[in-house]
Amino acid sequence: MEIALLRFMDILQSMPTLLLALTIVAILGPGLNNAMVAVCIVLLPSFVRLTHAAVLSEMSKDYVLAARMIGASKFRLMVRTVLPNCLAPLIVQASLSLSTAILDTAALGFLGQGAQPPTPEWGTMLSDATQYLQRAWWVTLPGVAILLAVLAFNLIGDGLRDALDPKLKRS
């Protein structure tokens, strides 16, 4: 089961994210909720693979073997011993994936598959503003907001990686 799930995640990760999200939204129908579902499905493989790698790494540590030897149940072993040590890379991945989610959601909105009017969304605002671009420069402000939000989440992700990665603290 584990191998099949990982191979399915490999298949999902091999496809371009925007194309896969657009396909999912085309199946589910346009709308903000369906766009969010599509973006979550597109971003899921990176979390699954990262969690799998982190758990495999932690399970080979001596403290896990010691907890297993004193009779810890599998649930207690995972929740109290392994999970807290796997959270740091997942938190960093989440902060970095927020920027991808913002870009994908804005792209789906720009293509008309995201939030439907009158719901405000940056991609939809940019799509509606393209006809006024030569006369009104300020219609590009939703694009600037996308840029700033993506930049902010990437910087937060880099800062969290620097703060939470023990290998970087040693050097």
Side-chain angles (χ1 to χ4, degrees):
M1 182 66 185
E2 174 186 345
I3 303 284
L5 179 66
L6 288 175
R7 293 300 80 84
F8 181 68
M9 292 299 138
D10 286 342
I11 291 169
L12 285 180
Q13 206 167 19
S14 68
M15 297 178 197
T17 58
L18 186 58
L19 183 61
L20 181 59
L22 193 58
T23 304
I24 293 169
V25 170
I27 292 169
L28 297 176
L32 187 59
N33 290 337
N34 292 339
M36 290 295 108
V37 168
V39 168
C40 287
I41 290 171
V42 165
L43 295 177
L44 185 65
S46 59
F47 286 96
V48 170
R49 298 201 50 85
L50 182 65
T51 304
H52 182 257
V55 167
L56 284 180
S57 173
E58 291 299 318
M59 290 298 284
S60 65
K61 302 274 173 84
D62 289 337
Y63 67 89
V64 175
L65 180 62
R68 191 178 299 152
M69 296 308 272
I70 63 170
S73 67
K74 287 185 179 185
F75 180 76
R76 181 173 175 83
L77 189 68
M78 291 304 292
V79 172
R80 300 281 299 192
T81 308
V82 176
L83 183 63
N85 293 309
C86 294
L87 282 181
L90 289 173
I91 291 170
V92 172
Q93 180 66 30
S95 65
L96 292 173
S97 292
L98 277 173
S99 61
T100 305
I102 290 170
L103 284 174
D104 286 348
T105 305
L108 289 171
F110 186 82
L111 295 172
Q113 298 298 312
Q116 299 299 307
T119 306
E121 195 266 325
W122 286 334
T124 308
M125 288 178 193
L126 280 176
S127 177
D128 293 342
T130 55
Q131 58 188 336
Y132 305 110
L133 197 56
Q134 290 186 353
R135 291 187 306 274
W137 63 269
W138 54 88
V139 297
T140 61
L141 290 179
V144 173
I146 293 169
L147 171 86
L148 292 175
V150 168
L151 179 65
F153 281 117
N154 277 334
L155 291 175
I156 289 170
D158 285 342
L160 283 172
R161 186 198 60 212
D162 293 344
L164 297 175
D165 192 357
K167 294 175 186 166
L168 293 176
K169 289 180 183 178
R170 283 188 234 143
S171 56

